[in-house]
Amino acid sequence: MAQEPLLTLEEMDAYLDEVFPEVHHGGRSLFLEGLGYGTCRVRMKHHPKNLRPGGTISGPAMMTLADYALYVAVLSVAGKVPLAVTTNLSINFLRKPEIGDLVSETRLLKAGKRLCVGEVTIFSEGVDEPVAHVTGTYSVPPERVSA
């Protein structure tokens, strides 16, 4: 039987709004659509602020989506740990994304006591081929707050 995430989707949304409100500066664009133990699905709604010259979604916007999604996946296994921080993020841009929503599928590959390693695959909504593949590592402090 699969383990349940330490926070429900609603609890995760509320917690992220509490500890990470700046991610929604200028209007909410990141939406948690699914949550499991070490997994999540996050949508980045299309917004002109995420475009770059050449008519595509910018790399920094995709990196924001990936980092946010990894943070969610880490919290799903570690609980309320506001000071979990990114120690590495590597992104491969695979193809030009369609202008529209991006959807990320995230899973942790390792959830250790101090480090969590995961991968994020980013898709243009409705397109089967990924636009980016991201790997990242989070450092999780030993002081954890219970869920």
Side-chain angles (χ1 to χ4, degrees):
M1 186 164 150
Q3 212 171 344
E4 292 295 316
L6 296 185
L7 301 166
T8 66
L9 192 141
E10 294 77 18
E11 290 169 334
M12 183 71 76
D13 265 339
Y15 185 67
L16 291 168
D17 286 349
E18 175 189 329
V19 298
F20 202 31
E22 59 275 5
V23 76
H24 302 304
H25 180 73
R28 182 179 289 271
S29 63
L30 295 170
F31 296 87
L32 182 56
E33 293 187 337
L35 183 64
Y37 187 82
T39 67
C40 67
R41 178 182 170 98
V42 178
R43 175 178 301 271
M44 177 179 271
K45 294 294 270 181
H46 170 65
H47 191 284
K49 72 180 179 181
N50 294 330
L51 298 179
R52 64 166 304 248
T56 189
I57 298 171
S58 73
M62 287 187 272
M63 292 174 88
T64 297
L65 171 59
D67 195 31
Y68 185 84
L70 277 170
Y71 187 58
V72 169
V74 168
L75 295 181
S76 78
V77 302
K80 295 179 177 179
V81 186
L83 297 181
V85 295
T86 310
T87 59
N88 182 58
L89 190 71
S90 177
I91 188 166
N92 291 296
F93 299 104
L94 304 173
R95 58 191 42 81
K96 182 179 175 180
E98 302 289 325
I99 295 178
D101 290 3
L102 294 179
V103 177
S104 68
E105 296 288 342
T106 304
R107 72 182 180 110
L108 293 183
L109 304 171
K110 175 190 180 207
K113 291 180 183 178
R114 297 296 303 267
L115 292 177
C116 290
V117 179
E119 69 176 351
V120 182
T121 306
I122 301 174
F123 299 88
S124 291
E125 182 179 35
V127 178
D128 291 337
E129 296 297 319
V131 298
H133 180 259
V134 183
T135 57
T137 304
Y138 261 76
S139 175
V140 181
E143 307 83 29
R144 295 183 179 188
V145 180
S146 65

